[in-house]
Structure formats: structure tokens, C-alpha cells
Amino acid sequence: MTHPLLDLAPLSAAHFASIEDRVARLLGTEQDVVIMQGEALLPLEGAIRSTAGPGTVALNVITGPYGQTFGNWLRDCGAEVIDLAVPFHTAVTAEQIREAFTERPDIDFVSLVHAEAATGNTNPVAEIGEVVRTHGALFHLDAVASIGAEPVLPDAWGVDLCVIGAQKAMGGPAGVSAVSVSARAWARMTSNPGAPRHSYLSLLDWKARWVDAGRKTLLHAPAQLEMLALEACVERIESEGLDTVMRRHAAAAAATRAGAPALGGGLEPYVHNPSEAAPVATTLRTPPGVIASELVARALAANPTLPLAAGGGALSKEMIRVNHYGVDATADAVQGSLAALGAVLTEQGVQVDLEGARAAVDGAWL
């Protein structure tokens, strides 16, 4: 017997290249786009190890847990790392980046996460990119959570290494990811003696054996199902329209931020300023005495399909994430999440206003 997901014809190099071209159009980029065969941590780490090493002075912006990870990789490469950390309920500013360059004009690498789904904030990449470009540093951007939820424009923003994944706002698979690479980034890799070669982390292998060779022969057997799923999710975005997809995510964020306070019970947006809140997911702070992880667990026990999660690590006590991305960027998903949280709070003797929350969500939906 067979199955629709089995016994498929091999994915050709031409088909693989056509999917890369569609991803490039999604990013609006003329840079080389390489689709790598793994979750987005693969190109994120590969890009850092390919372009950083002894002698690199890296400004690593920390607005959530991924920024901390990037700093660790940079140090492991031998780079001097300057961490710029801001509270997780806010975003970094272009002025803070400018001040960092004033203090250390020798900074030649900047690493930033665009949107932190884990903490619910988003950073002003266009303004930051202008500062980075003025100082001539290489700009490494994690846009995994932001792509599909808000504009991602590597060429216009001067981003040299822009990494995306399909598993959040794009509504696609987690098993493949992509990186757009500028000519400056390729040059930095070529001159870096520590850049991975003959390695799964190697971007230079993709350049030499794939990009420069005319994209005729793949380096290894592709992850066929994931590549086809990536193609399908890009097709879906093309059909709906990227602007429409982004409006859905913005509407879901606005509705969640309006509905949670209206629900009552002490829930409030974790990110204070709406302009610093990511459209991909909204984080909520629980009131004193309410453990976020326990609240989420009870809500999911009643309905495990809800896009709810507790914050990671120490944040599990005080943070709830409403992951309204992809197919869950809908009013129904927001309404269902708040209703489930309200039901659990009611069971705990907390007074909430379910109708008020429902009206607030409807009123805020853009």
C-alpha cells in the first residue's frame, strides 16, 4: 500500500531553485537566498559562525532568549561580544544602537532578533538598519517570527544576513528555513578562515556548489516533504496576499491586547507599549498569586487546540503567550483563548467579564 506522503518522485534541483525564488520574492530581495535543510537555528548559527571570529567586535542585542543564544555562539567563535540587553517588556531603540557605536566605533557585526515570539516584543529594524549601515557593520537579523506577520525588507533595511523560518506567521513547516545573503556577507565569509566548510553549517558550501554553480546540483538529498510544505505555505500567502496576512496578525495582536484587560482578573499585556508589541504573538502578565504555567495547563486541558503557552524558564510563573500566528491569526482563536483563561480564573474564584472581553476583541479587530 502507498500513502500521499510516500513514494514521491525526487525533488529536482530546478524545483528546489524555484522555491528559493518564491521565498526571495516574499522577502522582496535581490540577494542570494539559500534554503537550508533544517529548523531556523541551522542558518542562524551557520551565518554567525561563517562571518564572525577572532577580531570580530560584535554588538549583540538581547530582547529575549534568542539574543542570549546568539551571544554564546559569537563568543564561541572567538569574537569580542558587547551585549546590549533591554527589559523583555520593551524593545531596543535606534538611539541605543547609535550610542553603542559611539562608545565602540570598532563594532563590525550587529546581531538582532526582529520579533521575539517568546517575549512578545518587536524591534524597529528599519531605523536600526540605518544606523548599522552608516557605521559599515555587518547586520545579522533573525526574522523567523516576524516574516508573514510584519514587513521584512532585508534590502531596504541594509540587512546582510536575514534568516526566516516558516513555522510561525507563515503557517508552514519547521524543518526547513532560509537565509538571504548580501554580497558583503559572502565576502566576509570568504575572508574568514574559521568559516565552516564541508559542514552542515556551511553557507560557503552552498555558495560554491549551488549558487555559483548555477543551482544545477543539490549538495545532498533535500527534505522533500518539508520543501513541498514550504512551497505550499508560500503559495497560500501569495494567494491571500502578504498584506492581508500581515493585517490578520496585526488585528489579532490588537484584539488580544484589548481583550485581556477587558476580561479582568488582573491579566494585562506584558509588553507595555503597543508599538513595541509583536504582531506574531501577544504575551500577557498574570496577577500576583496566579501561576501562568498552571493557568495555561488548565486551559489547555479543557481545549488542547488553543494557541496558548506559558513563558519559558523563569517567565513560566508570570507570562502567558497567545500564539495567534499562521492559521490562528483569527478572531475566533483570540476569543477562544481569552474565554478559556477566563473560565479557569472563574474556577479559582476570580471575577472576570467574559462578555466585556468578547466585545473588546470584536471592537479592536481591524
Side-chain angles (χ1 to χ4, degrees), residues 86-135:
V86 302
F88 289 175
H89 65 264
T90 186
V92 72
T93 67
E95 183 57 34
Q96 288 173 302
I97 302 296
R98 189 175 291 108
E99 291 171 358
F101 275 105
T102 298
E103 293 179 10
R104 289 294 303 268
D106 55 340
I107 290 170
D108 62 358
F109 186 99
V110 175
S111 181
L112 175 71
V113 178
H114 186 184
E116 287 268 13
T119 50
N121 55 35
T122 191
N123 293 300
V125 182
E127 299 170 20
I128 292 169
E130 184 175 350
V131 177
V132 175
R133 186 166 54 246
T134 298
H135 290 84

Side-chain angles (χ1 to χ4, degrees), residues 2 47 58 79 86 102 171 179 195 200 241 263 317 321 347 359:
T2 187
V86 302
T102 298
V179 54
Y200 208 58
L263 178 66
K317 293 183 178 181
R321 295 202 327 262
E347 292 173 0

Side-chain angles (χ1 to χ4, degrees), residues 142-187:
D142 173 352
V144 173
S146 53
I147 183 66
E150 55 187 306
V152 176
L153 303 168
D155 291 11
W157 296 343
V159 177
D160 296 289
L161 295 155
C162 182
V163 176
I164 67 168
Q167 67 265 36
K168 288 189 167 62
M170 288 178 67
V176 290
S177 47
V179 54
S180 65
V181 187
S182 72
R184 291 195 331 138
W186 284 131

Side-chain angles (χ1 to χ4, degrees), residues 226-279:
E226 287 81 1
M227 288 295 295
L228 294 175
L230 173 62
E231 182 180 41
C233 85
V234 174
E235 286 178 351
R236 185 167 60 184
I237 291 171
E238 291 172 345
S239 177
E240 185 177 354
L242 178 59
D243 288 343
T244 301
V245 175
M246 291 191 294
R247 281 197 297 271
R248 281 198 294 109
H249 285 82
T256 307
R257 289 182 65 86
L263 178 66
L267 292 180
E268 59 183 24
Y270 191 88
V271 178
H272 298 171
N273 190 336
S275 68
E276 297 174 342

